[in-house]
Amino acid sequence: MHTEAKSTDAPLLEVRGLDKTFISRGLFTSPTTVVAAQDISFTIDSGEAVALVGESGSGKSTVARLLLRLIKPDGGEILLNGDEMLGREPRRASLDYRGRVQMVFQDPFGSLNPVHSVAHHLVRPLLRHGRASKSGARARAIELLQTVGLEPAEEFIDRHPYELSGGQRQRVAIARALAVEPDVLVADEPTSMLDVSIRMGVLNLLARLKQERGLAILLITHDLASARYLADRILVLFRGRVVEEGPGDALVERPAHPYTRALLASIADIDSVETAGESREDSESSRADAGCPFASRCPEVLEICRSSDPSPREVDGRRVRCHLYPEAGQDAQAGSQQGS
């Protein structure tokens, strides 16, 4: 892994106030503003896993693409070991940044070129980033396959993606990401296209890499169960906003935000999926309104929710954007008024 210019004080990866808005223009319709990310902030340290959880369209993959520097944010900062990356590299990510922050995509077959062998997919990044010599690249590729549990590796090295199962292809994709010895691995729904029986194997692999290699992992997922299993902290996204953030176990066992509770209900009750999923009203209007974006679907909505977007507040050791809970100082203020 990269070790140069590391600060003991700064987090490995720090995201500050990332914003991204898209404008959808139709031929016969007025432009629609879609808030994909609004004031997204979090940190990840070495050996830590953080999960971004939310339904389709919540902004999870947009955040991943922003971190990979595949799209440019409208505002905010991305820092590696305290060094701001957007100002230093305003147009595109440098080779060094791409070596330090790698991604595993949702579709392992789509991310691997079926024309090329497994050896090609692993040797190419090794040579491009100077992680192996030409003479030693194949041996290093075999070691990577062993690392991700594809053994005997010699039997897999010359196969093509179409000769592998979905789980095996995803392990090759993880091996390719590991080839450049990254500090941060962004895993975008890495198990959603796999059979249920093999999802746990991929999650266990990521957990082992986190523990043994000190790899920082950002897990993008719609599944709170997977997030709880792997992640130390969970951020719940709705319409580009973090509505709840906290330790994984506490957040799942005692969800504070109504949207988080709806997501948990959808795991156990198939009839609740529509409650947590995107409604027709939401799909037609994802723009930022004056009130809370979840107000139209919230079973506990208050009058203030329709006119005021809540700010984050501390609730049971977590940060929650919800008017159901008082802001800092409101309790003390209410107590002083009652005392007088």
Side-chain angles (χ1 to χ4, degrees), residues 106-114 161-164 166 169-170:
Q106 177 180 5
D107 182 4
F109 192 78
S111 65
L112 299 173
N113 191 330
Y162 57 82
E163 298 177 288
L164 305 175
R169 287 195 293 265
Q170 194 62 291

Short mmCIF file of all heavy atoms in Angstrom, two decimals, residues 106-114 161-164 166 169-170:
data_model
loop_
_atom_site.label_atom_id
_atom_site.label_comp_id
_atom_site.label_asym_id
_atom_site.label_seq_id
_atom_site.Cartn_x
_atom_site.Cartn_y
_atom_site.Cartn_z
N GLN A 106 -20.43 -3.07 -9.64
CA GLN A 106 -21.56 -3.94 -9.33
C GLN A 106 -21.59 -5.17 -10.23
O GLN A 106 -21.81 -6.28 -9.76
CB GLN A 106 -22.86 -3.16 -9.47
CG GLN A 106 -24.12 -3.98 -9.24
CD GLN A 106 -25.37 -3.14 -9.38
OE1 GLN A 106 -25.31 -1.97 -9.74
NE2 GLN A 106 -26.51 -3.74 -9.11
N ASP A 107 -21.37 -4.98 -11.52
CA ASP A 107 -21.48 -6.05 -12.49
C ASP A 107 -20.10 -6.59 -12.82
O ASP A 107 -19.34 -5.97 -13.58
CB ASP A 107 -22.16 -5.53 -13.77
CG ASP A 107 -22.33 -6.63 -14.82
OD1 ASP A 107 -22.00 -7.79 -14.52
OD2 ASP A 107 -22.81 -6.31 -15.93
N PRO A 108 -19.72 -7.74 -12.28
CA PRO A 108 -18.36 -8.25 -12.53
C PRO A 108 -18.13 -8.65 -13.98
O PRO A 108 -17.00 -8.62 -14.46
CB PRO A 108 -18.26 -9.46 -11.59
CG PRO A 108 -19.67 -9.90 -11.40
CD PRO A 108 -20.50 -8.64 -11.43
N PHE A 109 -19.19 -9.03 -14.70
CA PHE A 109 -19.00 -9.42 -16.10
C PHE A 109 -18.84 -8.18 -16.97
O PHE A 109 -18.03 -8.15 -17.89
CB PHE A 109 -20.18 -10.26 -16.59
CG PHE A 109 -19.92 -10.91 -17.91
CD1 PHE A 109 -19.14 -12.06 -17.99
CD2 PHE A 109 -20.42 -10.38 -19.08
CE1 PHE A 109 -18.89 -12.67 -19.21
CE2 PHE A 109 -20.18 -10.99 -20.31
CZ PHE A 109 -19.41 -12.13 -20.37
N GLY A 110 -19.63 -7.13 -16.67
CA GLY A 110 -19.53 -5.91 -17.45
C GLY A 110 -18.23 -5.16 -17.23
O GLY A 110 -17.78 -4.41 -18.11
N SER A 111 -17.60 -5.34 -16.07
CA SER A 111 -16.36 -4.62 -15.78
C SER A 111 -15.11 -5.35 -16.27
O SER A 111 -14.00 -4.81 -16.19
CB SER A 111 -16.24 -4.36 -14.28
OG SER A 111 -16.12 -5.58 -13.56
N LEU A 112 -15.29 -6.59 -16.74
CA LEU A 112 -14.17 -7.37 -17.27
C LEU A 112 -14.38 -7.59 -18.76
O LEU A 112 -15.46 -7.99 -19.19
CB LEU A 112 -14.06 -8.72 -16.56
CG LEU A 112 -13.82 -8.68 -15.04
CD1 LEU A 112 -13.91 -10.08 -14.46
CD2 LEU A 112 -12.48 -8.04 -14.72
N ASN A 113 -13.35 -7.33 -19.54
CA ASN A 113 -13.44 -7.51 -20.99
C ASN A 113 -13.42 -9.00 -21.33
O ASN A 113 -12.44 -9.69 -21.04
CB ASN A 113 -12.27 -6.80 -21.66
CG ASN A 113 -12.43 -6.71 -23.17
OD1 ASN A 113 -13.04 -7.56 -23.80
ND2 ASN A 113 -11.87 -5.66 -23.77
N PRO A 114 -14.50 -9.52 -21.92
CA PRO A 114 -14.56 -10.96 -22.18
C PRO A 114 -13.53 -11.45 -23.19
O PRO A 114 -13.26 -12.65 -23.28
CB PRO A 114 -15.99 -11.16 -22.70
CG PRO A 114 -16.40 -9.83 -23.26
CD PRO A 114 -15.72 -8.81 -22.39
N PRO A 161 -13.32 -14.33 -18.70
CA PRO A 161 -14.45 -14.06 -17.79
C PRO A 161 -15.67 -14.94 -18.02
O PRO A 161 -16.34 -15.34 -17.06
CB PRO A 161 -14.75 -12.58 -18.05
CG PRO A 161 -13.44 -12.01 -18.46
CD PRO A 161 -12.77 -13.09 -19.26
N TYR A 162 -15.97 -15.26 -19.30
CA TYR A 162 -17.15 -16.07 -19.57
C TYR A 162 -16.99 -17.52 -19.11
O TYR A 162 -17.97 -18.29 -19.09
CB TYR A 162 -17.52 -16.03 -21.06
CG TYR A 162 -16.43 -16.49 -21.99
CD1 TYR A 162 -16.21 -17.85 -22.23
CD2 TYR A 162 -15.60 -15.56 -22.64
CE1 TYR A 162 -15.20 -18.27 -23.09
CE2 TYR A 162 -14.60 -15.97 -23.50
CZ TYR A 162 -14.41 -17.32 -23.73
OH TYR A 162 -13.41 -17.73 -24.58
N GLU A 163 -15.78 -17.91 -18.74
CA GLU A 163 -15.54 -19.26 -18.25
C GLU A 163 -15.64 -19.33 -16.72
O GLU A 163 -15.42 -20.39 -16.14
CB GLU A 163 -14.16 -19.73 -18.69
CG GLU A 163 -13.98 -19.81 -20.20
CD GLU A 163 -12.58 -20.22 -20.59
OE1 GLU A 163 -11.65 -19.39 -20.45
OE2 GLU A 163 -12.42 -21.37 -21.04
N LEU A 164 -15.98 -18.21 -16.09
CA LEU A 164 -16.04 -18.14 -14.64
C LEU A 164 -17.47 -17.91 -14.17
O LEU A 164 -18.30 -17.38 -14.90
CB LEU A 164 -15.15 -16.99 -14.12
CG LEU A 164 -13.69 -17.00 -14.56
CD1 LEU A 164 -12.99 -15.74 -14.05
CD2 LEU A 164 -12.97 -18.25 -14.05
N GLY A 166 -20.25 -16.05 -11.51
CA GLY A 166 -20.36 -14.67 -11.09
C GLY A 166 -19.49 -14.35 -9.89
O GLY A 166 -18.84 -13.30 -9.83
N ARG A 169 -15.85 -14.20 -11.01
CA ARG A 169 -15.56 -12.96 -11.73
C ARG A 169 -15.41 -11.79 -10.77
O ARG A 169 -14.53 -10.95 -10.95
CB ARG A 169 -16.67 -12.68 -12.74
CG ARG A 169 -16.66 -13.58 -13.96
CD ARG A 169 -17.54 -13.03 -15.08
NE ARG A 169 -18.95 -13.05 -14.72
CZ ARG A 169 -19.78 -14.03 -15.05
NH1 ARG A 169 -19.35 -15.10 -15.72
NH2 ARG A 169 -21.07 -13.97 -14.72
N GLN A 170 -16.25 -11.74 -9.74
CA GLN A 170 -16.14 -10.64 -8.79
C GLN A 170 -14.84 -10.73 -8.00
O GLN A 170 -14.23 -9.69 -7.68
CB GLN A 170 -17.34 -10.63 -7.84
CG GLN A 170 -17.51 -9.34 -7.04
CD GLN A 170 -17.75 -8.13 -7.91
OE1 GLN A 170 -16.85 -7.68 -8.63
NE2 GLN A 170 -18.95 -7.59 -7.84
#
